[in-house]
Amino acid sequence: MNLPQRITLIEKSRDWLNRMATEHHYMHRPVHQKSCPFGWGITFDGAETQPDGLPSGLIMFSSIHYTKLAGVFGYANLPTKWQVLSLSRLWLHDNLPRNSETVVIAKAMKSVQRRWLEVHPPRFPEQPYHIRVIISYADTRYYRGTIYRAANFHEHGRTISAKRHINSRGGGMDGAELIRFIYYLDEPKWNFVQTDGLPLFATASTDY
């Protein structure tokens, strides 16, 4: 069985994801509830946990807090802020083999557009709402961004983390140099339809 067949994404609650991220991700802090975090737990060979009792892993996405980024979104003829998500947490158990992060990201990218609309239906469906851009950051104190490059993200400059990025354990990212990575998603050929409170996805009537 090849690696992609051994890894599965399973929907998990926001509370579970934030609890696991706080315990295991190097930042040791949850994603703020106002950012509408969502994501998946990981199973490896069908197991949600490893022999030591820890989870196999998780991946989380959330909305972003800034409104524009030159050349990427928020300007004319580019996606809007509402079409951008942050890949905010990714953590896998050390038992998982090499390249597992790349597989998890690839699987998530295939589902993130639909899943986002399930957890956060568009408030203004007449405006663009399909997620087109995923942004993530690599803290250069710990990572070089290898997994993002392997997952077809593009490096898009560097920035310095803000003072507010301090976790509940007293540590944080204050002053850390971060590499910004961008992933571009294709425009889906389906539309979001809300019926009796349940999200449906219908094939678009126009070609993109």
Side-chain angles (χ1 to χ4, degrees):
M1 186 181 296
N2 60 35
L3 185 57
Q5 293 175 315
R6 303 177 71 185
I7 293 174
T8 304
L9 307 187
I10 54 173
E11 293 179 10
K12 287 291 187 179
S13 70
R14 180 181 303 179
D15 288 343
W16 185 91
L17 290 164
N18 262 335
R19 187 170 66 253
M20 294 300 104
T22 302
E23 291 181 14
H24 304 298
H25 189 268
Y26 78 93
M27 291 177 66
H28 295 297
R29 66 185 182 92
V31 179
H32 199 287
Q33 299 289 338
K34 290 184 178 180
S35 297
C36 302
F38 71 100
W40 295 271
I42 309 301
T43 71
F44 184 69
D45 289 340
E48 292 187 37
T49 59
Q50 294 299 297
D52 59 6
L54 299 182
S56 296
L58 62 94
I59 185 169
M60 293 179 69
F61 296 85
S62 58
S63 60
I64 57 174
H65 63 273
Y66 48 103
T67 60
K68 58 181 64 177
L69 179 62
V72 180
F73 71 92
Y75 292 88
N77 302 316
L78 291 174
T80 71
K81 172 189 184 297
W82 309 110
Q83 294 180 278
V84 182
L85 290 176
S86 168
L87 197 174
S88 47
R89 300 288 188 275
L90 173 62
W91 175 83
L92 300 184
H93 195 286
D94 289 341
N95 284 357
L96 272 65
R98 183 179 180 183
N99 298 324
S100 293
E101 293 91 348
T102 304
V103 172
V104 169
I105 292 173
K107 286 177 175 285
M109 292 304 176
K110 292 179 179 179
S111 301
V112 69
Q113 291 170 315
R114 290 178 183 264
R115 185 60 185 149
W116 168 246
L117 295 177
E118 290 174 346
V119 301
H120 191 277
R123 296 182 180 178
F124 305 100
E126 69 279 4
Q127 299 294 324
Y129 55 79
H130 287 304
I131 297 301
R132 300 295 308 281
V133 179
I134 304 294
I135 297 179
S136 196
Y137 294 89
D139 187 333
T140 57
R141 295 174 300 177
Y142 309 108
Y143 305 106
R144 298 180 179 178
T146 302
I147 63 171
Y148 293 120
R149 295 185 180 92
N152 295 318
F153 279 70
H154 303 282
E155 185 173 339
H156 189 274
R158 303 193 177 206
T159 187
I160 302 298
S161 63
K163 292 183 179 180
R164 62 178 174 271
H165 292 142
I166 297 177
N167 63 45
S168 60
R169 301 187 182 184
M173 298 168 58
D174 185 14
E177 183 184 41
L178 309 177
I179 308 173
R180 183 189 298 112
F181 287 94
I182 308 291
Y183 187 97
Y184 295 98
L185 292 162
D186 292 333
E187 180 84 14
K189 294 185 177 180
W190 47 262
N191 292 324
F192 177 86
V193 180
Q194 189 80 35
T195 303
D196 297 329
L198 299 175
L200 300 175
F201 301 97
T203 301
S205 58
T206 57
D207 293 331
Y208 293 99

